[in-house]
Amino acid sequence: MAVGAATFAPTTAVGRVVLDRPTDGWVRVQPRRPAGHLIAEVRPGQSLALHSRPFGPVLARVGPRTSFGSPRALGVVATRHGRWLAVTEAGVGNNRSVWVDARAGGLRYERTPLEVDIDLSTPTLVLRREGTVLRRASVGVGRAGSPTPTGRFAVTDKLDGSAYSAAYGCCILALSAIQPSLPAGWSGGNRVAIHGTLSSSDFGRAVSAGCVHASDATLRYLMRIVPLGTPVVIRP
């Protein structure tokens, strides 16, 4: 996380202080940089502009709820000029970061020590808390012609898989990523998610249309522990 978060998130960015006693007798106070990944939540009743770049044109406006009805929690991947937050939003920016002006208001802030890393070459999903591995699982990923997109994303929704189809298993963790390379004839939408599967033979293989297939045990664990806005890094 880039330095500067404290300028727009004072209530969540205040940490302990370090007291130095230099030889000149003065005491210097240095606030410690807060731990964890910053999450920007859109406040109820607010509308948020998503810019192509800091001070750039507005690409879209979003409200406090996602298309699935979840509270909108944006994972912040970078900051600039002490006020601009780089985030990802499904369907805006073609899987690249868009920018939010924190000084425009309408946001509240949280932090999470968690990060989901997905390695497509293995393929493996790893959940970490500040570098410590909490869970590692073999997963299925996008096949040739419809590979899982790589980049930095975030968890946007946590959904009941059975409400959509048995093919999704128990649970769905929707991501702020879209699939730009859908298979011919595909009618299941272009949203990328981590969800279940009807076949455990998917794990460790490139078999999907772009989503990440995980076991129900792994999904239930993620649903329980991972908050909305948690960063998801997908590596080639």
Side-chain angles (χ1 to χ4, degrees):
M1 189 66 57
V3 176
T7 62
F8 48 76
T11 58
T12 59
V14 175
R16 292 176 294 176
V17 298
V18 178
L19 299 180
D20 293 334
R21 296 189 179 276
T23 55
D24 58 13
W26 289 94
V27 176
R28 298 188 182 93
V29 179
Q30 297 177 332
R32 285 186 179 174
R33 184 177 172 186
H37 303 280
L38 187 65
I39 299 171
E41 301 175 355
V42 182
R43 291 182 179 274
Q46 299 297 310
S47 175
L48 188 67
L50 304 178
H51 299 254
S52 62
R53 61 183 183 277
F55 304 103
V58 175
L59 298 175
R61 290 185 178 274
V62 296
R65 294 279 171 177
T66 71
S67 59
F68 292 106
S70 306
R72 193 178 301 278
L74 304 168
V76 178
V77 299
T79 67
R80 189 174 295 176
H81 304 306
R83 64 183 283 185
W84 289 93
L85 315 179
V87 302
T88 55
E89 171 67 18
V92 182
N94 297 320
N95 288 340
R96 295 190 297 270
S97 294
V98 292
W99 294 83
V100 173
D101 185 357
R103 293 186 187 175
L107 294 171
R108 59 190 177 196
Y109 302 93
E110 300 289 343
R111 286 188 178 271
T112 177
L114 302 175
E115 177 177 304
V116 177
D117 291 319
I118 298 170
D119 186 339
L120 301 181
S121 67
T122 324
T124 304
L125 179 151
V126 178
L127 176 65
R128 291 185 173 88
R129 176 186 283 129
E130 296 181 344
T132 300
V133 174
L134 299 182
R135 196 175 188 97
R136 186 186 304 272
S138 180
V139 293
V141 297
R143 59 183 176 268
S146 58
T148 302
T150 59
R152 297 185 64 87
F153 306 105
V155 176
T156 61
D157 304 87
K158 297 192 290 186
L159 308 169
D160 179 0
S162 64
Y164 293 88
S165 167
Y168 292 117
C170 70
C171 322
I172 302 170
L173 287 88
L175 307 182
S176 60
I178 59 170
Q179 171 58 285
S181 304
L182 291 170
W186 178 261
S187 60
N190 67 350
R191 191 67 173 272
V192 176
I194 306 169
H195 63 71
T197 176
L198 294 174
S199 175
S200 60
S201 65
D202 288 0
F203 306 145
R205 301 171 59 206
V207 293
S208 79
C211 285
V212 176
H213 294 180
S215 70
D216 277 8
T218 295
L219 289 166
R220 288 193 178 96
Y221 181 78
L222 294 175
M223 291 282 283
R224 185 174 69 253
I225 196 172
V226 167
L228 298 179
T230 296
V232 178
V233 181
I234 304 178
R235 310 177 192 278

